[in-house]
Amino acid sequence: MADGSARPEGYLGVSRSLSGRQWRERPADSETTRRHQLTHGLSEPLARALASRGVSAEQGGDFLNPTLKALFPDPSSFADMDRAAGLLVDALVARRRVAVFADYDVDGASSAAQLVRWFRAMGLEISIYVPDRILEGYGPSPAAFRRLKDEGADLVITVDCGAAAHDALAFAATIELPVVVVDHHLMRPGEIPAVAALVNPNRPDCRSGQGHLAAAGVVFVLLAALNREARQRGLFAAAAEPDIRAWLDLAAMGAICDVTQLSGFNRALASQGLKVMSGWRNPGLKALKDVSKAEGPASVFHVGFLLGPRINAGGRIGRADLGARLLSTDDPEEAAALAAELDELNGSRKTVEQEVQEAAVRHIERASNQADAPCLVVAEDGWHPGVIGIVAGRLRERYRKPVIVIGIDRPGNVGKGSGRSQPGVNLGRAVQAAYEQGLLLSGGGHAMAAGLSVRPDTIPELRAFLCEMMAGECEVAAAEDALEFDALITTRGADRTLWTDFQRLAPFGPGNPEPLFALADARVERPMALRGGHVRCTLVDRTGGRLKAIAWRCEDTDVGRRLLSEGGHIHVAGRLKPDDWQGREGVQLEIEDVADPRQL
């Protein structure tokens, strides 16, 4: 196809698929594609895919082989980084009692574990404090700082939180508890609190250009700054310098699980971190690998779908500090016990999540005006606040519009809600406006996600307000909702060689989407509904090949129903995955979408 925009009628003529999306070819510059082919010896489809991800001819080498040496930023380019390093080394030399205050998710846990391991390598054990998601909420509080002070903390480091905790930080100052904040969340101009140091690439005056880093990536840069500061003070004259590269696996955990943009230095962290992780030398990650039955070298799939959810399970429905403790321990027996506990919690989390999701779908489908509304707001008594964000994300995928899921606590007369948005619809701004209108007890977030607290009797009014406010954006977003394709394949050409070739673009994530392929005029054979609502089938086309395929959680959707009906030809969108069952080293297609040519 020509470079630039796709044909007006859509890729393969699909202007609206069974999921309601347009299909488009991912645009790429032809000259950049040609230079990638010549410089790196790439096939045309692969070179085109590289160009379509905004990688210039000059950037191709670093993208295909991202190294820390080429991409590591100067720590001093981060506002307050040198000050933070100086304060932490001061505490180390004086043998002060240091506590890490971490958020309860993977990014917080992996950030805390890096600091624990650096200080341990320098001969000082530091403690970890993780707030209870239900009882304490998100981020530092005056009560938490008072507790740490009473327990003897001389210095607190907040990781993956703290930049917006103005009241808590002001309180810490009144009790003379120094706080170093290491965060990555967005900050507004003029909102820099008075603390000992605040390292955040998204603070308005930071010039590092690393605003897409997760907190774990910011902490990894801090480790480099700590080594430099300690070296300048001569602390390595009689002791070995910590090799921070050993903890790249932890930095990669945060980058991948926090769904950050995998470009530049952050791409190098993820890529090199997965290589380090593949050695499974961290006892906690090794124990998680064992309980999750993960196989082979570490990948984004391992991190995002096997290891990460188990770490998060502690913060969602268990003890909030389990993940940080697991990633910090050097004791294999303790790691095995913690991993087993997290694995069990994750199983419980999946059960609770499924129950809430099924109930939410029933609410939406029963309501006469809900499914067609610009924004879905669904609420019920007793929904667990630890899973409502996941459920909101699932429903957003299903209905292709912003979704807010609210669990109501009747005794407390409060509903806790979590929302996920559709690209092009700023949910955080709408929630903030609802708060300013007095419809919420609290609320905030960013374009794609938000959290809120609301009185139950105000929920209908909140729903109406949000629908009215976001109607225009939702209409535009629905019109622009599209899948972008990297290449057209056949069942005979979809093999392990093709998959391996495109793996040169890995790791995949925001800013570098996993390659999406189209299969035209395929016939479905032997479709089967599986437990969990998945649909498995075999795809056959005119080339005579046979391609195994699976579509996740789709049995009760238009896509699932069309696959199960079996008759006629369809166009299929999907991503190739390795299929190593019984050593065959093949591939299967994970179906993302389906279009019926008879309906185009």
Side-chain angles (χ1 to χ4, degrees):
M1 283 189 181
D3 297 323
S5 61
R7 296 177 303 182
E9 67 272 20
Y11 194 60
L12 296 179
V14 180
S15 58
R16 276 293 176 266
S17 68
L18 292 183
S19 71
R21 286 175 281 184
Q22 185 185 56
W23 289 10
R24 299 194 296 240
E25 183 178 42
R26 202 181 302 278
D29 178 71
S30 58
E31 176 60 22
T32 303
T33 299
R34 186 184 70 83
R35 291 182 63 184
H36 283 322
Q37 282 184 269
L38 295 175
T39 304
H40 306 295
L42 307 181
S43 65
E44 193 279 337
L46 182 58
R48 192 182 188 287
L50 184 61
S52 74
R53 282 153 177 76
V55 180
S56 69
E58 294 73 24
Q59 296 169 329
D62 283 339
F63 189 94
L64 294 171
N65 183 32
T67 64
L68 295 180
K69 181 178 180 180
L71 298 167
F72 206 103
D74 178 4
S76 297
S77 66
F78 290 73
D80 270 8
M81 181 69 81
D82 293 338
R83 181 186 301 175
L87 289 168
L88 297 186
V89 174
D90 284 344
L92 170 70
V93 172
R95 319 302 290 179
R96 297 194 183 104
R97 297 186 65 175
V98 178
V100 181
F101 186 109
D103 191 20
Y104 34 66
D105 66 359
V106 174
D107 194 22
S110 55
S111 296
Q114 289 181 74
L115 286 168
V116 168
R117 291 186 173 279
W118 187 88
F119 275 97
R120 182 180 295 153
M122 297 297 291
L124 182 66
E125 285 292 332
I126 64 176
S127 62
I128 298 174
Y129 184 97
V130 183
D132 183 277
R133 185 189 197 114
I134 308 302
L135 300 178
E136 298 181 74
Y138 171 79
S141 64
F145 280 148
R146 166 55 72 187
R147 176 177 173 179
L148 289 170
K149 177 73 171 181
D150 291 344
E151 291 175 351
D154 299 311
L155 174 70
V156 173
I157 312 166
T158 72
V159 290
D160 194 28
C161 59
H166 297 278
D167 292 343
L169 294 172
F171 177 79
T174 66
I175 60 174
E176 298 183 344
L177 179 63
V179 180
V180 172
V181 175
V182 184
D183 204 348
H184 71 122
H185 292 98
L186 295 177
M187 298 178 64
R188 297 178 181 176
E191 284 194 348
I192 300 175
V195 291
L198 192 155
V199 181
N200 182 345
N202 285 307
R203 61 181 278 179
D205 59 341
C206 186
R207 301 292 177 259
S208 67
Q210 300 294 326
H212 54 286
L213 290 179
V218 181
V219 170
F220 191 79
V221 178
L222 175 59
L223 299 188
L226 289 170
N227 270 1
R228 184 174 64 182
E229 179 71 19
R231 191 183 313 118
Q232 291 172 349
R233 299 194 193 189
L235 299 186
F236 300 134
E241 180 173 334
D243 184 359
I244 66 174
R245 293 174 299 178
W247 307 316
L248 275 166
D249 49 4
L250 298 172
M253 287 290 298
I256 294 168
C257 291
D258 229 48
V259 201
T260 58
Q261 184 171 327
L262 298 184
S263 61
F265 170 58
N266 205 34
R267 176 173 169 79
L269 278 181
S271 178
Q272 299 302 321
L274 289 172
K275 293 177 183 178
V276 171
M277 192 184 300
S278 295
W280 303 109
R281 288 185 291 271
N282 182 296
L285 292 176
K286 170 66 164 57
L288 278 181
K289 168 184 172 290
D290 292 342
V291 298
S292 64
K293 297 179 174 57
E295 297 179 351
S299 66
V300 169
F301 172 78
H302 288 106
V303 173
F305 294 94
L306 298 179
L307 309 184
R310 286 169 168 80
I311 294 173
N312 276 332
R316 292 189 184 281
I317 63 173
R319 299 208 322 271
D321 65 344
L322 291 177
R325 287 171 53 201
L326 175 76
L327 298 181
S328 301
T329 185
D330 289 322
D331 182 348
E333 291 187 3
E334 180 186 17
L338 290 169
E341 185 174 356
L342 286 168
D343 186 56
E344 184 176 351
L345 287 170
N346 190 54
S348 300
R349 185 271 305 170
K350 288 192 286 188
T351 299
V352 173
E353 174 194 327
Q354 184 65 28
E355 292 172 351
V356 173
Q357 181 174 332
E358 290 174 355
V361 169
R362 289 194 297 269
H363 273 273
I364 293 169
E365 301 294 348
R366 282 202 309 260
S368 60
N369 61 344
Q370 177 85 310
D372 296 329
C375 170
L376 303 179
V377 180
V378 59
E380 188 170 294
D381 292 3
W383 281 350
H384 198 294
V387 303
I388 56 175
I390 302 176
V391 173
R394 299 277 192 221
L395 297 178
R396 199 283 310 171
E397 293 172 5
R398 179 180 179 123
Y399 294 104
R400 314 297 304 169
K401 60 181 64 178
V403 178
I404 295 175
V405 179
I406 301 173
I408 299 174
D409 174 13
R410 289 294 176 187
N413 192 33
V414 65
K416 296 291 184 67
S418 185
R420 299 294 182 268
S421 194
Q422 187 74 347
V425 183
N426 194 323
L427 179 60
R429 182 171 58 200
V431 168
Q432 180 64 34
Y435 173 73
E436 292 170 356
Q437 287 290 315
L439 297 174
L440 298 175
L441 300 173
S442 64
H446 52 77
M448 297 301 292
L452 57 85
S453 295
V454 60
R455 294 296 182 204
D457 58 2
T458 311
I459 291 174
E461 188 178 355
L462 171 67
R463 179 185 293 114
F465 176 86
L466 293 175
C467 285
E468 180 179 359
M469 181 164 187
M470 292 188 286
E473 285 186 342
C474 287
E475 183 177 357
V476 173
E480 295 180 352
D481 191 13
L483 286 176
E484 292 193 319
F485 290 84
D486 291 286
L488 181 67
I489 60 174
T490 65
T491 56
R492 188 173 293 279
D495 56 17
R496 192 64 169 237
T497 299
L498 178 65
W499 176 81
T500 301
D501 197 26
F502 272 83
Q503 283 302 295
R504 297 184 66 180
L505 302 181
F508 303 114
N512 179 32
E514 187 172 358
L516 186 68
F517 299 102
L519 185 66
D521 296 317
R523 189 176 72 253
V524 177
E525 291 188 353
R526 298 199 303 273
M528 179 186 302
L530 304 178
R531 183 177 180 181
H534 317 309
V535 175
R536 182 181 294 282
C537 63
T538 299
L539 300 173
V540 182
D541 65 6
R542 294 187 180 93
T543 66
R546 304 176 67 81
L547 179 61
K548 293 171 59 178
I550 189 166
W552 304 111
R553 297 183 298 274
C554 75
E555 182 183 2
D556 61 346
T557 68
D558 288 343
V559 168
R561 286 186 282 269
R562 181 62 186 85
L563 291 173
L564 290 168
S565 70
E566 194 170 355
H569 291 82
I570 57 174
H571 301 329
V572 183
R575 298 172 178 85
L576 288 177
K577 301 290 184 177
D579 177 18
D580 295 332
W581 177 251
Q582 296 182 334
R584 65 166 51 97
E585 293 192 351
V587 294
Q588 72 171 354
L589 189 74
E590 286 193 355
I591 296 174
E592 169 72 19
D593 200 3
V594 168
D596 190 332
R598 295 171 298 184
Q599 300 177 9
L600 299 180

